[in-house]
Amino acid sequence: CDGTNDCSDKSDEEQSVCLANGVSISTNACGNQYSCKGSSGICVVADWMCDDYQDCPQNDDEEQANCDAFEASYGTLTCGETATGDAYQYNEYPFTFTLPAGYAAVKMSTCLTDNQGPVYLYLRNDDYTVQVNGNYSEQCQCSGRYILSADTTDIVAGEEYTVSLYTEFTGTYAIKVDCDASSLAAITTSNVCTDSYTGGSSGYDYGSGYDYGSGYDPYDSNAYSGSSGYDTDSISNTPISLGCGVAETGTLAVGEALAFSWIQSGSVDVSLNGCASDFDTVFTVYVLDSVTSEPIYTAENDDGCGTQSYLTVTYDSAYSGSTYVLALTGYGGSNGGSYSVTLEC
């Protein structure tokens, strides 16, 4: 259980052997993942265990005894506490969580305390009828820190769920768990992140400390600043107000990002039309939390019309009357030119 194959069939690295001998799951060949029997060297992530789909050559990932033994190695998340530990690049770390009876909501804030991430949280029950994940979570105030929110519309108090932390970097993770008996809105303290951006030439501070200049969008795998993806680096303008049917035009410099905003009114979807721009654009949309003003990722679009962006924002009654923000960038941070942005209502 040290990551080295000492037996011809690799049995000294098998998950069941390691767990039976009290060896931490993170020290064997598959790290925190399940190690298939035999010498295949295949590792299985927690979400693929006992999911009615064969991942191991001998189908041992579908044997209940192996799943139970593997789940016994999970950590536990508890309301009012912060879990910490070591995380390794491109690894998943499973935990169990039960919302106590009488509680209505939970927020989990996570980060790598010694690295700017990114990290993700996924919450699900065993039969996948519930799956809340980072694609729909709020962003914390500093880059690489994210919040998973769930209430009784998503989960049932008293039922056990699996929460998985996934990271693309190596570092020390922290997961802060806050619960409330009334609602999500009542939870105002769930942010394990302590530093925040305060404005300047590399970013735009919306008043909540969130740094748009971090250049990292956690919802796209090509999003890291300087690569080929969606880079919101160097937003420094006060958002330009968008009115229905009015085209806002101007010039976007290479490496620049501009912010636009509108207030959602009425119960209709709206669209953002950038088709008349003359360069490869990227749209990323956020809605500002009505209590904290923190931006909540909503949607994004790259090539909605040719290489230009066209994006429809679906009406959400939870954010009726809220301010939405559009971040306009050039694809990969290497495109710029004349833009045209129209809010279609």
Side-chain angles (χ1 to χ4, degrees):
C1 300
D2 59 359
T4 301
N5 181 19
D6 300 299
C7 300
S8 59
D9 62 356
K10 204 181 178 182
S11 58
D12 60 299
E13 297 299 322
E14 286 186 3
Q15 192 74 60
S16 58
V17 173
C18 298
L19 292 174
N21 286 277
V23 179
S24 170
I25 190 171
S26 62
T27 63
N28 67 32
C30 284
N32 54 290
Q33 300 175 6
Y34 176 79
S35 177
C36 294
K37 290 181 179 179
S39 57
S40 68
I42 296 174
C43 302
V44 179
V45 298
D47 281 356
W48 295 355
M49 295 293 291
C50 288
D51 62 352
D52 296 323
Y53 184 86
Q54 180 177 342
D55 298 292
C56 294
Q58 300 181 33
N59 202 36
D60 47 295
D61 59 298
E62 295 302 310
E63 295 177 12
Q64 192 60 51
N66 292 333
C67 297
D68 292 344
F70 182 69
E71 186 170 344
S73 69
Y74 291 7
T76 301
L77 298 177
T78 305
C79 292
E81 296 184 1
T82 300
T84 61
D86 293 328
Y88 297 92
Q89 187 176 32
Y90 304 127
N91 271 266
E92 177 189 351
Y93 295 84
F95 301 83
T96 57
F97 171 75
T98 301
L99 184 68
Y103 281 79
V106 59
K107 279 191 176 183
M108 299 180 186
S109 168
T110 187
C111 71
L112 297 181
T113 59
D114 50 359
N115 195 315
Q116 287 201 331
V119 288
Y120 309 86
L121 283 177
Y122 303 83
L123 180 149
R124 66 171 179 82
N125 59 359
D126 288 340
D127 60 6
Y128 289 88
T129 57
V130 173
Q131 187 165 0
V132 179
N133 59 52
N135 287 335
Y136 304 98
S137 66
E138 301 174 17
Q139 296 191 36
C140 296
Q141 288 183 345
C142 32
S143 93
R145 281 79 164 171
Y146 310 104
I147 297 176
L148 182 149
S149 302
D151 59 22
T152 49
T153 63
D154 302 308
I155 62 176
V156 177
E159 182 174 335
E160 183 176 272
Y161 294 84
T162 298
V163 177
S164 296
L165 178 146
Y166 175 80
T167 174
E168 295 182 8
F169 286 80
T170 296
T172 301
Y173 69 79
I175 306 174
K176 184 174 182 288
V177 183
D178 285 313
C179 306
D180 190 82
S182 58
S183 66
L184 278 172
I187 304 175
T188 60
T189 61
S190 190
N191 193 340
V192 74
C193 172
T194 56
D195 59 318
S196 63
Y197 183 75
T198 56
S201 60
S202 65
Y204 183 79
D205 180 8
Y206 281 98
S208 62
Y210 180 76
D211 178 11
Y212 273 96
S214 63
Y216 186 77
D217 180 346
Y219 305 96
D220 190 278
S221 60
N222 294 320
Y224 194 74
S225 177
S227 71
S228 60
Y230 303 167
D231 181 5
T232 58
D233 193 27
S234 70
I235 290 181
S236 56
N237 69 304
T238 299
I240 299 167
S241 180
L242 293 174
C244 292
V246 179
E248 294 293 335
T249 59
T251 302
L252 182 82
V254 172
E256 184 184 18
L258 290 176
F260 302 79
S261 68
W262 75 96
I263 296 176
Q264 174 67 37
S265 60
S267 56
V268 296
D269 300 344
V270 298
S271 296
L272 296 161
N273 188 335
C275 300
S277 303
D278 66 2
F279 63 100
D280 191 347
T281 62
V282 174
F283 283 176
T284 308
V285 173
Y286 303 85
V287 60
L288 301 187
D289 186 278
S290 59
V291 177
T292 66
S293 293
E294 291 187 6
I296 304 168
Y297 170 84
T298 302
E300 66 188 30
N301 179 260
D302 179 14
D303 299 332
C305 45
T307 61
Q308 286 73 44
S309 302
Y310 187 93
L311 173 64
T312 297
V313 180
T314 304
Y315 170 73
D316 187 338
S317 60
Y319 299 113
S320 180
S322 296
T323 298
Y324 281 75
V325 176
L326 163 68
L328 167 66
T329 58
Y331 184 79
S334 60
N335 286 272
S338 297
Y339 67 80
S340 176
V341 177
T342 303
L343 179 68
E344 298 177 346
C345 305

